[in-house]
Amino acid sequence: MPSLDNSVTVISRSKVFPDRKSTLVDLKLSVSDLPMLSCHYIQKGCLFTRPHLPPHALLSHLKHSLSATLSHFPPLAGRLSTSGDGHVFLSCNDAGADFVFASAKSVRVSDVVGGIDVPHVVKEFFSYDRAVSYEGHNRPILAVQVTELVDGVFIGCSVNHAVVDGTSLWNFINTFAEVSRGAENVTRQPDFTRESVLISPAVLKVPKGGPKVTFDENAPLRERIFSFSREQIQELKAMVNKKRNWTAVNGEINDVEVMGKQSNDKLNGKENGRLTEMLESLLGRNDAVSKTVNKSVIAVEISSFQSLCALLWRAITRARKLPSSKTTTFRMAVNCRHRLSPKLDPEYFGNAIQSVPTFATAGEVLSRDLRWTADQLNQSVAAHQDGRVRSVVADWEANPRCFPLGNADGASVTMGSSPRFPMYDNDFGWGRPVAVRSGRSNKFDGKISAFPGREGNGGVDLEVVLAPETMAGIEADGEFMRYVSKN
């Protein structure tokens, strides 16, 4: 197949403004927003079969829909600004978003979704290549690029990472699609309140010229999508949870163990319901507390996603051929909206995420079984409740800094995005997406992004970015590939 590189041509650029003036005042950036100023713009988008509209009519329709959507999301039509005392904030000044039309006349839908590796041409479906979020002072917060393919269209969104996280981004894209379908009232209104522990008076000191990304943007990488069916994931989860009943010893259990998967725990009955409620309350005050309870056998369930993460952690560690004493790290981005007490609104707009690390030596990851590795991830995530969230905030306030994204020690894996995000709910009026893809932004050796499977029945797609030799290693890993879908 001939190379598809440099096959995308930009046809036009324009500004789209909200169809109503913003009534929002300036928004403060939180302690979850500010560290992202050194990160690239988030780039996510959806691939569709060709709509039954000529290009000029499609573009006019999407511009009109974007204008109406921006009225519900004024920050995305604003700009970043810095006050005299050094506080970076978001000015909702209706300055507009970029709208780009591009053509890829030699690219077909099958070129994007076929093959093994994600083709490089996908990176050309997004604007603001390698733009750092601090640049939102001088460029739009949002750019939407519509790329016409031979038999399809790609709608790619590049959004400032200091303004949105995945939850906020997909709420915007879902709303954009909903408005495009003709909805007069949107389903999920974003919440712009700025009254929580995440809002801090601390000032992030930015170097002259703005912060820089903290990883090598030019390192050689391979990127591929590994798909896991619902059946394969259920098989993996069942194996990981085999014989995981845990009996209290001397009447004492650790609350972190019991919390397990949190809201999805399979605890049954009124007593276990009260136990869960009690432990959630305790975790809000002290993450390490243990309480005495009646002797009982309690099933602590590892989630399907944690099982999948453990499988990947082992495969990558094995492929990297690390010394057994080398400490490895698996980082997971967790949504803090429901972890804080009081909880944030589910549609809170902005970043409300923290990175939860789990540490283990390469020897531990590879010599213990998969259940042990999954259990380490389970405990780390279960412990990250209100008290832990607040301690991370306090630590940042004592030393404000940008987030050191990357894999500096060669032994890290960073999991982002979520299979729970409603990525395939984006029907703009001519059907659901064929696929979801991301651009070049924030990619380095060990960066993984989780997407829901297209069929929406519990399957998961992992977008895996690795050094070429490491990718070859996991492709030859029998334990890992056993669960990967073959088609």
Side-chain angles (χ1 to χ4, degrees), residues 227-234 237 304-305 308 419-420 451-461:
S227 296
F228 302 83
S229 70
R230 180 180 185 276
E231 292 72 25
Q232 290 160 327
I233 291 175
Q234 289 302 311
K237 179 182 176 182
S304 56
F305 188 58
L308 191 56
R420 296 184 180 183
F451 302 157
R454 185 179 186 274
E455 301 310 314
N457 62 352
V460 174
D461 289 342

Side-chain angles (χ1 to χ4, degrees), residues 375-396:
D375 195 50
Q376 307 313 300
L377 296 170
N378 177 272
Q379 291 185 51
S380 296
V381 174
H384 206 85
Q385 301 299 323
D386 182 72
R388 191 68 57 84
V389 173
R390 291 174 183 272
S391 70
V392 172
V393 170
D395 176 70
W396 187 89

Side-chain angles (χ1 to χ4, degrees), residues 261-307:
K261 195 184 163 190
Q262 297 167 46
S263 61
N264 294 321
D265 280 351
K266 305 299 184 185
L267 297 177
N268 298 314
K270 294 181 180 179
E271 290 301 319
N272 280 334
R274 283 196 290 269
L275 174 62
T276 301
E277 183 178 343
M278 175 188 75
L279 291 173
E280 285 177 336
S281 174
L282 288 168
L283 278 168
R285 297 193 298 273
N286 184 348
D287 291 339
V289 70
S290 292
K291 294 298 290 182
T292 299
V293 297
N294 293 330
K295 286 187 178 181
S296 60
V297 178
I298 300 173
V300 182
E301 186 178 64
I302 302 292
S303 73
S304 56
F305 188 58
Q306 289 165 352
S307 303

Side-chain angles (χ1 to χ4, degrees), residues 214-215 313 316 320-323 325-331 358-362 404-414 444-446:
T214 56
F215 57 91
W313 190 6
I316 291 176
R320 284 175 172 165
K321 298 180 170 60
L322 300 171
S325 60
K326 176 71 173 178
T327 297
T328 68
T329 309
F330 196 105
R331 291 189 170 274
T358 303
F359 304 100
T361 66
L405 201 61
N407 180 17
D409 65 356
S412 297
V413 180
T414 299
F444 48 86
D445 176 26

Side-chain angles (χ1 to χ4, degrees), residues 198-210:
L198 299 180
I199 303 301
S200 169
V203 175
L204 173 65
K205 293 182 180 179
V206 178
K208 187 176 181 180

Side-chain angles (χ1 to χ4, degrees), residues 98-339:
D98 270 349
F99 188 91
V100 179
F101 173 52
S103 176
K105 289 297 182 64
S106 62
V107 182
R108 295 180 174 276
V109 168
S110 59
D111 294 327
V112 177
V113 299
I116 296 175
D117 287 15
V118 176
H120 189 274
V121 70
V122 170
K123 296 170 177 57
E124 300 178 47
F125 295 164
F126 298 89
S127 299
Y128 298 174
D129 184 43
R130 307 193 194 198
V132 177
S133 291
Y134 187 79
E135 297 174 27
H137 284 79
N138 302 307
R139 70 162 77 227
I141 300 298
L142 165 70
V144 174
Q145 179 173 319
V146 179
T147 304
E148 182 186 15
L149 280 61
V150 174
D151 55 351
V153 65
F154 192 94
I155 300 178
C157 296
S158 302
V159 195
N160 194 296
H161 205 342
V163 176
V164 301
D165 61 7
T167 298
S168 300
L169 171 63
W170 289 108
N171 187 12
F172 159 71
I173 299 177
N174 289 164
T175 304
F176 183 17
E178 192 174 33
V179 171
S180 178
R181 292 197 306 272
E184 296 183 3
N185 299 309
V186 302
T187 302
R188 306 199 322 261
Q189 285 284 355
D191 175 75
F192 299 110
T193 58
R194 288 296 185 267
E195 297 177 2
S196 76
V197 68
L198 299 180
I199 303 301
S200 169
V203 175
L204 173 65
K205 293 182 180 179
V206 178
K208 187 176 181 180
K212 307 299 181 186
V213 295
T214 56
F215 57 91
D216 182 0
E217 298 172 290
N218 299 308
L221 298 169
R222 278 186 60 195
E223 176 183 343
R224 108 168 240 191
I225 306 293
F226 291 96
S227 296
F228 302 83
S229 70
R230 180 180 185 276
E231 292 72 25
Q232 290 160 327
I233 291 175
Q234 289 302 311
E235 178 188 345
L236 176 65
K237 179 182 176 182
M239 188 271 290
V240 167
N241 283 286
K242 186 179 180 181
K243 297 180 181 178
R244 280 195 50 81
N245 282 352
W246 188 88
T247 306
V249 178
N250 297 326
E252 291 191 355
I253 64 169
N254 183 280
D255 54 7
V256 171
E257 283 284 322
V258 176
M259 286 305 298
K261 195 184 163 190
Q262 297 167 46
S263 61
N264 294 321
D265 280 351
K266 305 299 184 185
L267 297 177
N268 298 314
K270 294 181 180 179
E271 290 301 319
N272 280 334
R274 283 196 290 269
L275 174 62
T276 301
E277 183 178 343
M278 175 188 75
L279 291 173
E280 285 177 336
S281 174
L282 288 168
L283 278 168
R285 297 193 298 273
N286 184 348
D287 291 339
V289 70
S290 292
K291 294 298 290 182
T292 299
V293 297
N294 293 330
K295 286 187 178 181
S296 60
V297 178
I298 300 173
V300 182
E301 186 178 64
I302 302 292
S303 73
S304 56
F305 188 58
Q306 289 165 352
S307 303
L308 191 56
C309 287
L311 181 75
L312 184 65
W313 190 6
R314 281 167 58 86
I316 291 176
T317 301
R318 196 155 34 228
R320 284 175 172 165
K321 298 180 170 60
L322 300 171
S324 61
S325 60
K326 176 71 173 178
T327 297
T328 68
T329 309
F330 196 105
R331 291 189 170 274
M332 301 180 75
V334 299
N335 183 358
C336 296
R337 288 166 176 81
H338 62 285
R339 298 175 189 274

